[in-house]
Amino acid sequence: MTATVVNDQAAVASRVSVPRGYRFELVKLVSQWRIRLLVLACWIAPALFVAVVSRQSTLPTDTLFGRWMHATGWAGPLVMLGFAGTWALPLLTSVVAGDVFASEDRLGTWRHLLVAVRSPRRIFAAKALASLSVILLLVAGLACSSTVGGVVAVGDQPLAGLDGHLLAPSDAAGKVLLAWVCVLAPTLALAAIGLLGSVALGRSPMGLLLPALVALAMQLAQMLPLPVAVRLALPSYAFIAWNGLFTSPMQLGPLLIGIVVSLAWAVLATALAYVLFLRRDFTNPTYDGSGRRAVTTGLLPLAALVALTVTVVTVATPSTGSGIQQDKVQRSVATAFAHLYRLQTEQLNRPDVTEAQLRATAACDKGAGRLAAEGPGNDWRCVVSWHLPGVEATGQAVYQLDVTADGRFVADGDGPKEVNGYFLVRTPIGDAPNPLWQFDSNVELLSTPPPKG
């Protein structure tokens, strides 16, 4: 009896602590060649990419802030952020979190790990924290490397926001950093889905691919004309909601909702992975996933979370339909035009004029007036009117708009060419295209009152 008690006490005393287990799991991850390769790629490749692209004559104008890569180094990390949210971060979470448990199944090392640690709970905590640390290291590399590459290659100039107003370099730096911090929330959601897939599907390749497949499905959903509540209920929206930081005033509503939704997904998916991990059979060497339990314990709660989020967002926000209405488009176009008109005036060495003096307004229709002026599409047309001090005639310019389902739009100048045609203007860093020729902006999907004044 005494020997049994002593043995039990020795077993308890020999349990490995979470910090020690975390260090062990972190060393295991970093020792893998593919993780080392990813770390090097994330800390080196973005700087080279941004520096090279910024020097090219053709810029990635289809990417948000891509057309400003010639003008300021702060556009580079935002272009990289758009690419990371679409492709890089889902793949990184798949490689790291999606394989952290499945690798033990493939190698058949669960028995040895359990004998050494003696606590499935501590094993789960150590593996989850180690994978999170590596993912944060990779995200930090993408952000820092792209920022250094942009600032070194182009310089620390002001950045034009999505509504055309200029951000001072210090303000641009702060918002770029905040944008990268905000995408950590959906990244954590994908990492938690990776943990869930790694636990539930065992050595199956689907566990490794689950975060990337879920992210791809959500991206496809974001391209559809979904109701606002459904769009905001998906954690993938937080990957694009950061653009609201670059307007004045900032569009924080969709961003905060996206962050909360993403964190809810992260907590729920991690909790489900934890429950499945504690219930699994470690004595079966041929274990290959939880089968039906993975669907009932993993998929159904996440689907219920989506339904709950849609209901809460629908009740809490007054927006209906796509969230893209005529008055919002007109307000966004007029605001961006007024800010960029001032920028053009400065570049052409003309007398300064304020936005209040311009009194810019926009009249927009869709489908040449044959369609209801709402929803996404490339058939929007806007006529912008403005006034100059001491001039009786009202100036007018025409823009063709391509509005996407997530609220972003590209305005393409359609005359007169002296105002929004293509020509080069002199800037402190060299010749650049007319800022009124083409510009990016966005429509806030949530209903908000128009700005005063």
Side-chain angles (χ1 to χ4, degrees), residues 11-307:
V12 172
S14 63
R15 286 182 179 177
V16 176
S17 65
V18 172
R20 185 179 176 186
Y22 162 74
R23 291 193 297 269
F24 175 68
E25 293 295 338
L26 189 59
V27 170
K28 284 169 58 179
L29 278 175
V30 177
S31 64
Q32 299 176 19
W33 66 266
R34 62 176 181 271
I35 300 297
R36 294 182 177 182
L37 184 61
L38 286 177
V39 171
L40 289 176
C42 289
W43 280 89
I44 297 176
L48 299 177
F49 170 79
V50 171
V52 171
V53 172
S54 298
R55 297 295 184 180
Q56 301 297 313
S57 58
T58 302
L59 296 177
T61 56
D62 57 337
T63 304
L64 209 57
F65 293 100
R67 66 181 75 253
W68 296 104
M69 291 184 72
H70 277 163
T72 174
W74 298 111
L78 296 177
V79 172
M80 181 56 60
L81 179 57
F83 169 78
T86 304
W87 300 108
L89 295 180
L91 293 176
L92 293 178
T93 53
S94 292
V95 173
V96 179
D99 193 49
V100 68
F101 291 97
S103 60
E104 307 289 351
D105 286 307
R106 290 196 307 272
L107 299 175
T109 53
W110 280 122
R111 180 168 59 88
H112 307 287
L113 192 59
L114 285 169
V115 169
V117 179
R118 298 180 180 275
S119 173
R121 293 178 175 84
R122 297 185 182 188
I123 292 176
F124 183 90
K127 285 184 170 293
L129 291 175
S131 61
L132 175 61
S133 299
V134 172
I135 290 173
L136 292 179
L137 177 64
L138 298 176
V139 175
L142 292 173
C144 296
S145 179
S146 58
T147 301
V148 171
V151 173
V152 171
V154 183
D156 186 26
Q157 286 82 26
L159 171 69
L162 282 181
D163 59 352
H165 79 289
L166 285 181
L167 296 169
S170 58
D171 194 13
K175 291 191 175 183
V176 167
L177 175 61
L178 184 57
W180 276 96
V181 171
C182 288
V183 301
L184 289 178
T187 303
L188 292 179
L190 292 181
I193 292 174
L195 296 179
L196 179 59
S198 186
V199 171
L201 300 176
R203 69 190 72 185
S204 171
M206 286 302 299
L208 180 63
L209 297 175
L210 189 60
L213 294 177
V214 171
L216 178 60
M218 291 183 180
Q219 290 170 19
L220 294 176
Q222 293 290 350
M223 298 172 63
L224 300 175
L226 298 174
V228 178
V230 178
R231 188 178 303 280
L232 297 181
L234 300 176
S236 59
Y237 190 75
F239 278 127
I240 55 179
W242 56 264
N243 55 31
L245 296 172
F246 296 88
T247 61
S248 181
M250 292 188 292
Q251 300 173 2
L252 297 179
L255 177 60
L256 294 178
I257 293 175
I259 291 175
V260 172
V261 169
S262 298
L263 294 179
W265 273 66
V267 171
L268 180 59
T270 303
L272 295 174
Y274 178 75
V275 171
L276 286 176
F277 183 73
L278 295 185
R279 292 180 178 178
R280 69 161 289 168
D281 182 11
F282 292 99
T283 62
N284 183 7
T286 62
Y287 178 83
D288 197 20
S290 303
R292 184 177 302 177
R293 184 185 299 175
V295 177
T296 56
T297 308
L299 181 61
L300 294 182
L302 292 176
L305 177 60
V306 173

Side-chain angles (χ1 to χ4, degrees), residues 393-411:
T394 300
Q396 287 190 336
V398 179
Y399 283 93
Q400 306 293 336
L401 268 61
D402 184 2
V403 185
T404 58
D406 58 8
R408 179 196 169 190
F409 67 82
V410 178

Side-chain angles (χ1 to χ4, degrees), residues 311-391:
T311 302
V312 172
V313 174
T314 302
V315 174
T317 62
S319 296
T320 58
S322 66
I324 302 173
Q325 282 91 36
Q326 183 182 35
D327 60 331
K328 294 182 181 180
V329 175
Q330 293 177 162
R331 190 161 63 242
S332 296
V333 172
T335 301
F337 179 89
H339 289 308
L340 293 174
Y341 190 95
R342 289 197 65 187
L343 177 61
Q344 184 199 60
T345 298
E346 178 185 353
Q347 293 172 343
L348 295 177
N349 297 315
R350 293 174 178 172
D352 190 23
V353 59
T354 65
E355 290 84 355
Q357 292 173 322
L358 287 174
R359 291 176 291 159
T361 59
C364 303
D365 59 41
K366 191 170 186 285
R370 296 187 300 269
L371 301 175
E374 61 180 10
N378 60 358
D379 52 354
W380 281 87
R381 180 179 182 273
C382 294
V383 178
V384 182
S385 303
W386 72 96
H387 302 79
L388 291 176
V391 179

